[in-house]
Amino acid sequence: MYRTSQEKRNLFAQAPTGIGKTISTLFPAIKSMEEGGQERIFYLTAKTVTRLTAEESLELMEQNGLKLRSVTLTAKDKICFKEETICQPDYCEFADGYYDRINGAVVDIAKNETQITRRVIEEYARKHRVCPFEFSLDLTDVVDVVIGDYNYVFDPRVALKRLMPEDKKRTTLLIDEAHNLVERARDMYSASIVRNSFWEVEEEWAERNEKLSRSAQAVRKDLHVLKSDFEATIEEIPGSLEENLERFVDQADSVLREEHTGEEVENLLDCYFASQNFIKILDLLDSHYRIITSNEGVKIYCVDPSYLLRKVTKSFRSSVFFSATLSPFGYYKDMLGGQETDYILKLPSPYDAQQIKVTIAPLSTRFKDREQNAEKLASLLHNQVKNQEGNHLFFFPSYQYMNMVYQAFRIYSDVDTAVQEFRMTEERRDDFLAQFIPGGSLVGFAVLGGVFSEGVDLRGDRLNGVAVIGIGLAPRSFEKELIKDYFTSLGKNGYKYAYVYPGMNKVLQAGGRLIRSEKDHGVIQLVDDRFLHQTYQQLLPEEWQQFTIEK
């Protein structure tokens, strides 16, 4: 990591979960700052829990003599003090006169704080009556380490514009849980517009602003011409649609400068931002994209974000992509924009193989077999609980399947259970995890690829068993098929790129919740007959290869 920064290179690193990847990247990156040339570190991640780990690592180093400042960026809608996120002086007192007070706020916090976390930002923002979100962005100019979401660097809609080219050349990117960046990048570099949104604006503003209403109508008519009853692809975006979108954005912009509240303003805002983003992404349109039309509207879909990720990271001093599950390595290096000159590092697990017992239960979890196999699966899971004392987490491919098996599992009244809810708040997530106490006997039902299958750290006796139901394959969809066909046309295994590799990554992440330290031990049960196929077995970590087959 240190050499990567010193030599202005990129590094792709896979290292087992729980061994300290966060501090092992932050420490040498900070050490490299001493040598000159590098002035700032961006620690980027997809989840709040991993941002907290970065804060803890900096605090640990500060206790041992480190002197630097860091700021953690929080999404605007989460940190906003107002009921509605409307950044207008006549609505928000924290926006009104912001530039009159911001310098005093920055000087005050910089004099008195080193780790500028969300709590600290909120405290000083209230004290100086400034917008907490804009305050945090302004602080990125005066700190050494910035902790935040991927989008502050990679998303063309919200990337920090204040990062000048000369600043980037002195900045190192540390990209945590980098396997998540592939799908996130697809979302960031895709855009869609919906016909009904323009119809709503057309109707709601017909009497209040004729020009705006007519501009929305023009876009709606263009989308109606492109309408398809089934999802389909087209070769290009008509020039008239692009022109009418730009006209609509201009009209909406002038109206939004005057109008700030009301449901029709909310609808206009949503349509305005979607249109702006669509125009931005339109500039990126090339062979890595497909244009999808449907009954709802048009989507510019990025099937291959690798070259865009490469373009972004190339402008920085160096980048480190790290995760416990960059497997298969070639796929992730390819999809994250890696090149032959990049360093690679793949560390084996330091844990004793005896700490973990892996079993494969060859029960079909295919959609057509789920209902008839629900009771058998519940029995398999209950046997795991009986044979291994302690807390367990069971991961399912969907909420529907999870709830079906949970109902079958409820006949076992000797077991306490907790179930993941759809769209849980942060408080509810914390409550869910808090139930996993050392020496407990709780069974948690959760969703594969959800908030509890990554970044969750239940050390010691807080977790003793994991079951992963299914191989993590996403359902077949029009977009997944486009990805498959695209990579097949490049001579690669399109099915694996679209379905197998992303799916198995979820399986490995979920299983990784179990062994988090040299003292942890427990069982992992993989439930699906496809785990016995070579395609999937060769993607299992080395320490999982000594499995037994459940009869």
Side-chain angles (χ1 to χ4, degrees):
M1 166 63 227
Y2 176 77
R3 292 294 173 205
T4 296
S5 176
Q6 287 292 294
E7 296 171 15
K8 303 180 185 178
R9 300 273 288 274
N10 293 334
L11 168 66
F12 289 82
Q14 176 176 292
T17 188
I19 68 168
K21 290 186 292 297
T22 301
I23 202 162
S24 299
T25 50
L26 271 170
F27 177 78
I30 291 167
K31 193 77 176 166
S32 181
M33 292 171 80
E34 277 191 320
E35 310 298 328
Q38 179 186 307
E39 294 182 358
R40 189 175 297 151
I41 298 164
F42 269 77
Y43 190 97
L44 305 172
T45 181
K47 292 182 166 43
T48 304
V49 67
T50 36
R51 276 167 245 167
L52 296 175
T53 307
E55 289 174 354
E56 289 168 5
S57 296
L58 289 173
E59 186 178 355
L60 182 61
M61 286 186 271
E62 187 174 48
Q63 290 168 6
N64 286 272
L66 176 65
K67 304 289 183 199
L68 58 64
R69 288 194 196 92
S70 67
V71 65
T72 302
L73 303 179
T74 304
K76 184 190 284 189
D77 58 341
K78 286 187 177 179
I79 202 170
C80 180
F81 292 147
K82 303 294 285 183
E83 196 169 313
E84 291 185 71
T85 309
I86 301 172
C87 302
Q88 299 293 344
D90 57 354
Y91 172 79
C92 177
E93 66 272 26
F94 299 98
D96 187 20
Y98 175 85
Y99 292 104
D100 298 331
R101 299 185 294 275
I102 186 57
N103 286 350
V106 170
V107 170
D108 187 15
I109 203 168
K111 275 185 177 178
N112 296 293
E113 306 290 343
T114 52
Q115 281 208 62
I116 306 172
T117 61
R118 175 178 175 174
R119 181 192 60 77
V120 173
I121 287 166
E122 290 176 340
E123 179 188 332
Y124 280 80
R126 290 189 187 280
K127 177 182 175 183
H128 291 273
R129 206 157 52 85
V130 293
C131 166
F133 180 70
E134 291 296 328
F135 184 26
S136 69
L137 295 185
D138 282 328
L139 288 169
T140 61
D141 292 329
V142 297
V143 299
D144 309 289
V145 179
V146 178
I147 302 168
D149 191 270
Y150 299 146
N151 59 15
Y152 293 108
V153 166
F154 293 105
D155 193 331
R157 291 166 293 186
V158 296
L160 298 177
K161 304 297 183 284
R162 63 192 69 217
L163 270 175
M164 296 293 105
E166 59 272 19
D167 296 326
K168 293 179 180 179
K169 290 298 179 189
R170 296 191 290 267
T171 300
T172 285
L173 301 179
L174 304 181
I175 302 152
D176 193 4
E177 304 285 12
H179 60 275
N180 283 311
L181 186 54
V182 178
E183 279 307 313
R184 280 289 300 276
R186 278 203 179 101
D187 290 339
M188 289 175 193
Y189 299 124
S190 298
S192 57
I193 46 176
V194 178
R195 197 159 40 98
N196 274 354
S197 300
F198 293 94
W199 179 80
E200 283 178 357
V201 173
E202 180 188 342
E203 292 286 305
E204 290 169 349
W205 293 88
E207 294 181 9
R208 294 175 62 177
N209 192 305
E210 189 182 352
K211 281 186 178 179
L212 174 62
S213 179
R214 286 214 319 264
S215 69
Q217 182 187 59
V219 177
R220 177 182 63 78
K221 286 182 175 178
D222 285 338
L223 291 175
H224 184 76
V225 171
L226 296 173
K227 183 172 85 109
S228 171
D229 290 336
F230 303 99
E231 286 182 302
T233 58
I234 56 175
E235 289 300 314
E236 59 182 4
I237 298 288
S240 62
L241 175 57
E242 188 173 354
E243 288 172 12
N244 286 329
L245 267 176
E246 288 176 346
R247 204 169 290 123
F248 168 76
V249 166
D250 288 341
Q251 291 296 331
D253 192 54
S254 59
V255 170
L256 289 167
R257 289 178 189 278
E258 306 298 326
E259 305 273 355
H260 304 144
T261 56
E263 186 180 339
E264 66 277 6
V265 174
E266 286 297 307
N267 292 337
L268 177 57
L269 262 176
D270 290 343
C271 196
Y272 169 72
F273 285 130
S275 301
Q276 262 196 337
N277 187 44
F278 195 88
I279 292 168
K280 260 184 197 159
I281 299 301
L282 203 49
D283 285 339
L284 302 174
L285 195 58
D286 64 6
S287 62
H288 300 84
Y289 279 86
R290 296 292 181 267
I291 303 167
I292 304 171
T293 62
S294 67
N295 191 35
E296 294 182 350
V298 176
K299 181 172 187 175
I300 307 172
Y301 183 57
C302 182
V303 290
D304 180 7
S306 60
Y307 82 108
L308 289 166
L309 293 174
R310 187 184 308 123
K311 188 176 176 183
V312 172
T313 54
K314 196 175 178 182
S315 62
F316 286 85
R317 177 187 174 90
S318 67
S319 303
V320 179
F321 298 85
F322 61 102
S323 167
T325 54
L326 286 185
S327 182
F329 217 78
Y331 164 77
Y332 280 103
K333 190 181 174 192
D334 185 12
M335 293 305 301
L336 293 168
Q339 296 175 288
E340 283 186 19
T341 53
D342 297 335
Y343 283 136
I344 59 171
L345 174 69
K346 192 172 181 182
L347 295 178
S349 173
Y351 301 130
D352 189 332
Q354 302 304 312
Q355 289 178 248
I356 184 171
K357 181 186 175 187
V358 180
T359 61
I360 293 178
L363 181 74
S364 173
T365 68
R366 293 168 184 80
F367 189 80
K368 63 183 177 63
D369 299 322
R370 288 179 180 178
E371 199 165 339
Q372 69 185 56
N373 284 344
E375 289 183 10
K376 289 181 193 171
L377 178 51
S379 175
L380 273 174
L381 298 175
H382 185 250
N383 286 340
Q384 176 177 324
V385 175
K386 281 197 305 182
N387 295 330
Q388 173 69 53
E389 289 184 0
N391 299 312
H392 294 255
L393 255 178
F394 301 153
F395 293 100
F396 294 81
S398 69
Y399 281 96
Q400 183 184 15
Y401 193 17
M402 176 187 76
N403 289 322
M404 180 198 299
V405 178
Y406 173 67
Q407 292 304 320
F409 191 85
R410 288 179 67 184
I411 64 167
Y412 303 109
S413 56
D414 57 327
V415 181
D416 292 327
T417 56
V419 183
Q420 180 178 346
E421 300 159 13
F422 189 58
R423 290 182 180 165
M424 290 174 99
T425 63
E426 285 189 31
E427 290 76 18
R428 293 289 297 141
R429 292 177 205 166
D430 291 342
D431 290 344
F432 181 90
L433 292 173
Q435 297 176 74
F436 290 83
I437 59 173
S441 56
L442 181 75
V443 172
F445 284 71
V447 175
L448 195 60
V451 291
F452 299 121
S453 64
E454 286 192 35
V456 170
D457 200 2
L458 297 170
R459 288 176 181 257
D461 277 345
R462 292 189 66 193
L463 187 63
N464 307 94
V466 166
V468 182
I469 291 84
I471 51 177
L473 295 191
R476 282 186 181 270
S477 68
F478 189 75
E479 290 179 358
K480 291 288 184 190
E481 289 297 298
L482 288 178
I483 296 170
K484 184 189 81 172
D485 293 344
Y486 169 83
F487 284 105
T488 299
S489 73
L490 297 180
K492 297 175 181 176
N493 190 315
Y495 181 74
K496 288 183 178 178
Y497 266 60
Y499 294 100
V500 175
Y501 297 152
M504 280 298 287
N505 191 280
K506 294 176 188 175
V507 172
L508 303 186
Q509 278 290 325
R513 299 312 95 212
L514 184 64
I515 304 298
R516 308 291 297 177
S517 77
E518 62 273 17
K519 294 178 182 175
D520 293 355
H521 66 279
V523 297
I524 295 177
Q525 183 173 200
L526 305 174
V527 183
D528 197 294
D529 56 296
R530 288 167 288 187
F531 281 119
L532 296 179
H533 297 181
Q534 189 181 4
T535 297
Y536 299 97
Q537 271 188 31
Q538 62 190 12
L539 295 174
L540 298 178
E542 193 176 328
E543 60 272 23
W544 293 16
Q545 295 287 351
Q546 302 304 312
F547 57 82
T548 57
I549 300 173
E550 187 76 28
K551 302 298 183 189

